[in-house]
Amino acid sequence: MSKIKGCIFDLDGVIVDTAKYHYLAWKRLANELGFEFTEEQNERLKGVSRMKSLDILLEIGKLNFSDEEKLQLAEKKNNWYIEYISNMNSNEILPGAKEFLQIVRNNGIKTSLGSVSKNSMTILNNLDLAKYFDAIIDGNKVTHAKPNPEVFVLGAREIGVPEQSCVVFEDAVSGIEAAINAGMYSIGIGSKKVLNKANIVIDSLADMKIEMLELL
Ligand code: BG6
Ligand code: MG
């Protein structure tokens, strides 16, 4: 019997290839405001809420705006992002994601989404992915972005699994920190160098085997 009873998945960059669209939209905003924004700088925005992301972006660009103006800038970015994701198709489901979700469920392990994106439901519905999750926690249900553990703690509560029996799958540094703050195991999807606090790091869910949960 596995000690892992719940798997909590981030969405952007773990299940679907949308992290690139967030980056493109932020970069477009930065360029329009007159500064460059690199992929390396973008690591700081992953897993971070929309408004917090904007604050980091403006800090990089050394620009100040009023709260009112910031809301408008965030809305502009989000409209571009929605435009990008409206053309998404199943090719943008990341390798191995659906297959691993199915295997997890077949093994009697509960699944939850744990994303701070307010656009999560749109993506899950467009790609018919909602059916793979026993619980869905998104940006509309939480008040604190990662690395605050709220999104994962709520996920564990909704699937009825104690924190210490959950593992989080994450592509963001802030997400791995949130998992640690929640008292959960974590599996990083991406670079070992960037996600060095995770228990295990893999390139994609295509490399994930259910037996690996025993290694945690
Ligand atoms: C996270 C992304 O999943 O959602 C962040 O990693 C993004 O890059 C955040 O800023 C909020 O998303 P949204 O769709 O609510 O703007
Ligand atoms: Mg992510």
Side-chain angles (χ1 to χ4, degrees):
M1 270 300 258
S2 173
K3 64 183 164 195
I4 299 298
K5 309 276 182 237
C7 286
I8 306 184
F9 297 85
D10 173 48
L11 180 65
D12 298 310
V14 171
I15 303 292
V16 288
D17 200 8
T18 40
K20 64 183 181 204
Y21 295 131
H22 279 295
Y23 171 59
L24 282 178
W26 285 124
K27 184 175 159 61
R28 188 166 164 184
L29 186 66
N31 292 165
E32 199 179 278
L33 294 171
F35 65 95
E36 279 309 317
F37 177 56
T38 66
E39 279 196 63
E40 197 187 335
Q41 289 167 330
N42 185 57
E43 288 299 325
R44 288 179 63 197
L45 272 59
K46 287 187 180 171
V48 173
S49 70
R50 197 180 305 164
M51 292 314 289
K52 184 85 201 301
S53 294
L54 178 65
D55 284 339
I56 297 172
L57 190 83
L58 295 177
E59 181 199 308
I60 291 168
K62 300 191 175 60
L63 293 173
N64 281 309
F65 288 98
S66 68
D67 288 351
E68 176 81 0
E69 289 167 327
K70 284 205 271 188
L71 281 174
Q72 284 166 7
L73 291 172
E75 194 186 335
K76 195 175 219 184
K77 179 268 173 179
N78 192 50
N79 288 338
W80 286 329
Y81 178 70
I82 289 173
E83 191 184 305
Y84 297 149
I85 62 170
S86 68
N87 297 318
M88 274 181 89
N89 59 45
S90 55
N91 291 335
E92 277 153 302
I93 301 175
L94 286 164
K98 261 162 96 161
E99 293 77 5
F100 186 65
L101 278 161
Q102 194 56 60
I103 292 171
V104 164
R105 291 165 66 85
N106 291 348
N107 278 270
I109 297 171
K110 297 274 186 203
T111 57
S112 173
L113 188 84
S115 168
V116 300
S117 171
K118 294 191 161 105
N119 292 299
S120 296
M121 269 332 285
T122 307
I123 295 170
L124 293 181
N125 288 335
N126 283 353
L127 301 178
D128 198 22
L129 291 171
K131 61 186 180 196
Y132 291 96
F133 297 97
D134 296 302
I136 293 176
I137 311 296
D138 68 8
N140 300 301
K141 291 192 181 168
V142 296
T143 41
H144 305 290
K146 301 162 188 175
N148 187 292
E150 184 187 15
V151 63
F152 298 143
V153 171
L154 282 181
R157 194 176 301 158
E158 271 205 30
I159 56 177
V161 176
E163 278 89 354
Q164 65 274 19
S165 302
C166 288
V167 58
V168 167
F169 294 82
E170 257 296 347
D171 70 318
V173 175
S174 63
I176 299 293
E177 285 168 0
I180 294 168
N181 291 337
M184 298 178 182
Y185 295 100
S186 60
I187 297 186
I189 310 288
S191 148
K192 281 198 171 66
K193 212 171 128 193
V194 176
L195 305 173
N196 53 45
K197 290 188 193 155
N199 295 105
I200 298 175
V201 180
I202 51 177
D203 286 338
S204 78
L205 286 174
D207 294 336
M208 190 61 206
K209 306 238 174 322
I210 195 84
E211 296 77 33
M212 286 161 72
L213 298 180
E214 306 301 328
L215 303 174
L216 293 168

